[in-house]
Amino acid sequence: MMRKGYRAAALALAVGMAVSMLAGCGGKSESASVKVKVGEVTRSVFYAPEYVALSQGFFKDEGLDVELQTIPGGDKTMTALLSGAIDVALVGSETSIYVYQQGSDDPVINFAQLTQRDGTFLFARKEQSNFDWSQLKGSTFLGQRKGGMPQMAGDFTLKKKGIDTSKDLTLIQNIDFANIAGAFASGTGDYVQLFEPQASIFEREGRGKVVASFGVESGYLPYTVFMTKLSFITKHSGTVQKFTNALQKAQNWVKDHTPEEIADAVLPYFKDADKDVLVSAIKRYKDQDTYALNPVIDDAEWNNLLDVMDNAGELKERVPASKIVNNSFAEKALSEVKDDK
């Protein structure tokens, strides 16, 4: 009898331990988050909704552990994506077109738009009232690096304004992105094409004034987009949907909050930044609809992007959006994620 009782007790103990272990495993499965490695082409207030999604816990709420790293240069960011070093890239959508033009069995797919305008401004060394683009004629213009989207949007705008860069002004485009602001500060150029927050910093330092926006003049286009390889979408469509949902939450949040509140939210990602400068930059971007209100890439934006690239001579063919854009995740997020004002 004692032996039988011993066996019964041992069995009960074993069952209890098994149930406990299963419960523990179940709990771990429910709480475990999916890691997503994201590479951004630069650290910029231009990407404010991305940092809002992180700081406000929107990725975490979707069960994602987003590991963000900055990989300077579109070519390096794309190399990291193609090699599998990162899962998702935040970079100009033109890079996906370059990859497509080269041919690939595993194309890069744009699935969620972050910014919908070029992020650069025309900065004049001398403050000018009643600015007109014709005032650039005869000047020295310090533009962005040739081949990049800022340069293409800049040239597209200048041509639209009737300026022939080959003869109407002295164009400088051989200075690395990181050194453009320094070159202007040291005396090079009458005008310079700048991103924020550098434009706001220069204004505070009395170096000149923003007189126009290349983003406004070049129109809406999928300027900066989250993209990944087709194989990742095929294997991890649920993760891509959760990622896009989190972005939509962040875009709603940015729309509904002031530049001051947005600056507070993104400040942890700009530890050495002056908050007043961040507020000025965010306000400028927000006022001109730079931050996309949703992740959808529409046909009009895509066609404008192709026009900008075609003007720059960077297109072998006009790539239809259907080839490398997947809006299904963005459209679902737009319809299902509520805007909690």
Side-chain angles (χ1 to χ4, degrees):
M1 291 294 293
M2 287 181 63
R3 193 171 185 179
K4 185 176 180 181
Y6 174 79
R7 286 177 178 173
L11 180 60
L13 178 62
V15 170
M17 290 176 65
V19 170
S20 176
M21 289 174 66
L22 285 170
C25 290
K28 185 176 181 181
S29 176
E30 290 172 2
S31 62
S33 56
V34 177
K35 175 164 282 190
V36 181
K37 294 179 288 185
V38 178
E40 58 177 7
V41 69
T42 188
R43 178 59 51 89
S44 173
V45 69
F46 189 44
Y47 305 149
E50 175 190 36
Y51 312 123
V52 165
L54 288 163
S55 70
Q56 302 305 300
F58 296 138
F59 286 126
K60 186 177 180 181
D61 291 345
E62 291 288 333
L64 302 181
D65 175 15
V66 170
E67 179 184 286
L68 179 64
Q69 58 181 300
T70 304
I71 308 173
D75 54 342
K76 294 182 177 63
T77 305
M78 187 55 67
T79 297
L81 180 64
L82 294 174
S83 68
I86 57 175
D87 303 312
V88 173
L90 176 64
V91 66
S93 53
E94 80 281 357
T95 58
S96 65
I97 292 176
Y98 294 147
V99 172
Y100 179 83
Q101 289 181 156
Q102 293 170 1
S104 173
D105 294 331
D106 192 6
V108 173
I109 305 297
N110 301 273
F111 68 87
Q113 178 170 291
L114 185 74
T115 60
Q116 60 185 9
R117 288 191 186 277
D118 174 77
T120 59
F121 297 87
L122 180 63
F123 192 91
R125 192 174 293 281
K126 298 178 180 179
E127 188 167 353
Q128 301 171 3
S129 59
N130 302 317
F131 170 77
D132 186 271
W133 286 87
S134 63
Q135 292 172 327
L136 269 72
K137 293 183 177 181
S139 71
T140 298
F141 175 61
L142 180 52
Q144 294 283 324
R145 178 185 58 81
K146 187 170 177 56
M149 268 306 296
Q151 177 265 325
M152 289 191 283
D155 283 7
F156 183 77
T157 297
L158 292 175
K159 183 176 181 180
K160 190 170 74 169
K161 296 298 180 180
I163 297 174
D164 185 339
T165 57
S166 66
K167 61 181 182 181
D168 289 338
L169 48 71
T170 301
L171 180 62
I172 301 174
Q173 289 180 320
N174 60 350
I175 298 177
D176 289 340
F177 174 80
N179 299 323
I180 290 173
F184 185 78
S186 67
T188 302
D190 304 304
Y191 296 89
V192 62
Q193 185 178 357
L194 291 178
F195 277 95
E196 285 285 12
Q198 193 60 59
S200 290
I201 291 172
F202 273 7
E203 284 186 332
R204 291 188 69 185
E205 293 175 347
R207 298 184 184 276
K209 196 75 175 176
V210 168
V211 294
S213 166
F214 286 102
V216 169
E217 298 297 342
S218 58
Y220 291 107
L221 68 167
Y223 198 85
T224 320
V225 176
F226 287 105
M227 59 187 71
T228 189
K229 292 188 290 186
L230 177 60
S231 59
F232 187 86
I233 289 178
T234 302
K235 294 176 184 176
H236 307 286
S237 61
T239 297
V240 175
Q241 186 63 64
K242 290 175 180 179
F243 189 98
T244 310
N245 291 348
L247 176 60
Q248 179 68 75
K249 291 176 184 178
Q251 290 171 324
N252 289 343
W253 195 97
V254 167
K255 176 176 67 71
D256 296 335
H257 287 75
T258 66
E260 289 78 10
E261 291 168 329
I262 298 168
D264 284 333
V266 306
L267 199 55
Y269 298 91
F270 300 91
K271 296 187 183 299
D272 298 326
D274 183 306
K275 182 182 172 181
D276 290 340
V277 169
L278 283 183
V279 170
S280 172
I282 291 168
K283 184 178 188 306
R284 191 165 267 152
Y285 280 140
K286 198 175 182 197
D287 285 350
Q288 66 177 35
D289 296 327
T290 298
Y291 304 127
L293 299 180
N294 61 69
V296 177
I297 302 168
D298 65 43
D299 287 341
E301 291 173 321
W302 187 259
N303 288 327
N304 190 37
L305 168 69
L306 297 180
D307 289 342
V308 169
M309 295 181 68
D310 192 33
N311 177 72
E314 296 291 346
L315 275 185
K316 292 180 181 177
E317 60 177 306
R318 291 185 70 87
V319 181
S322 59
K323 296 290 187 181
I324 51 176
V325 174
N326 184 338
N327 272 322
S328 64
F329 304 102
E331 288 168 350
K332 186 175 182 180
L334 179 59
S335 66
E336 295 184 358
V337 174
K338 303 306 178 185
D339 187 357
D340 299 322
K341 294 184 179 180

